[in-house]
Amino acid sequence: MTTLTFTTTDTPMGPFGWLTTDAGAVVASGWTTDPDYLRDLARSSATVVPGTDEPTSTAIADFFAGDPAALDRVPVQQQAGEFITDAWVALRRVPAGERVTYTELAAAAGRPAAVRAAASACATNRAALFVPCHRVVRSDGGLGRFRYGVETKQALLAFEATMRPHGD
C-alpha cells in the first residue's frame, strides 16, 4: 500500500499544505490544511500520514525569505498527457516575478496553437506553488482564475514582484 506524507507550513498567503511520496516528490499542494482534499486532488487512494518534509519546508521558507530559485529544488510528480506535462515543465521555467500569457505558455510547451490546452494545464495542475500556474495571466493582463482564489494569486504575484531575479 502506498503512503503519502502530509506536511503544512505558514506562508504570507496563509497555511500551505502538501503531500509527498516516500521519495520526497510533491504530488499535490496548495493553500489548505486538509490532507483529504489534497489526496483527492492527486487522484490517489494512498494512505495519508502526518509528517515532516524538511527539504520542502526549507525550500518554501527560503522562497518566502526571498530566494526565487528555492522551489526549483523540490521534485514534483504529476501524471498527464504529453502536452499537459510539457506545459507543467514550461511553467517551472517561468522565473518568480515574471508573468506569461496562456498563448506564451502554449508556445513554450511546443504547441503555439494550443492556448486552451495551456489553460487546461493550469486548471489541472495539482502542485500549486511548485508548478507556478499563478504566473499565467490572460492576454488582456487580467489575472484569470486560481484554484486557491484570485486574492491568493494576486498576493503571490505581488510578493514575487519584490524578489530579485536569479543570479542577482
Side-chain angles (χ1 to χ4, degrees):
M1 175 168 264
T2 305
T3 302
L4 296 171
T5 300
F6 176 67
T7 309
T8 62
T9 193
D10 290 325
T11 73
M13 293 83 207
F16 184 82
W18 66 97
L19 295 175
T20 50
T21 65
D22 291 337
V26 170
V27 297
S29 59
W31 280 267
T32 181
T33 57
D34 184 350
D36 293 329
Y37 171 79
L38 291 176
R39 182 182 57 209
D40 292 347
L41 185 64
R43 299 181 187 123
S44 175
S45 60
T47 300
V48 175
V49 297
T52 303
D53 172 9
E54 212 46 56
T56 303
S57 295
T58 299
I60 293 168
D62 290 350
F63 177 77
F64 284 110
D67 179 357
L71 300 177
D72 297 343
R73 300 189 304 258
V74 178
V76 173
Q77 180 180 308
Q78 298 190 91
Q79 300 297 318
E82 183 179 353
F83 177 77
I84 298 290
T85 301
D86 290 346
W88 290 336
V89 169
L91 277 170
R92 289 201 83 179
R93 288 192 216 114
V94 177
E98 292 189 20
R99 299 176 187 190
V100 298
T101 64
Y102 293 103
T103 302
E104 292 167 330
L105 176 60
R111 289 184 38 207
V115 178
R116 287 182 188 226
S120 181
C122 292
T124 59
N125 174 32
R126 296 176 289 278
L129 190 61
F130 305 104
V131 178
C133 57
H134 64 275
R135 296 178 188 154
V136 182
V137 297
R138 297 187 325 222
S139 58
D140 66 3
L143 293 182
R145 294 182 172 180
F146 186 59
R147 182 184 313 272
Y148 300 98
V150 174
E151 298 81 15
T152 301
K153 181 174 184 169
Q154 193 168 25
L156 278 165
L157 292 171
F159 170 77
E160 289 181 350
T162 68
M163 299 177 97
R164 296 175 56 180
H166 296 297
D168 281 1

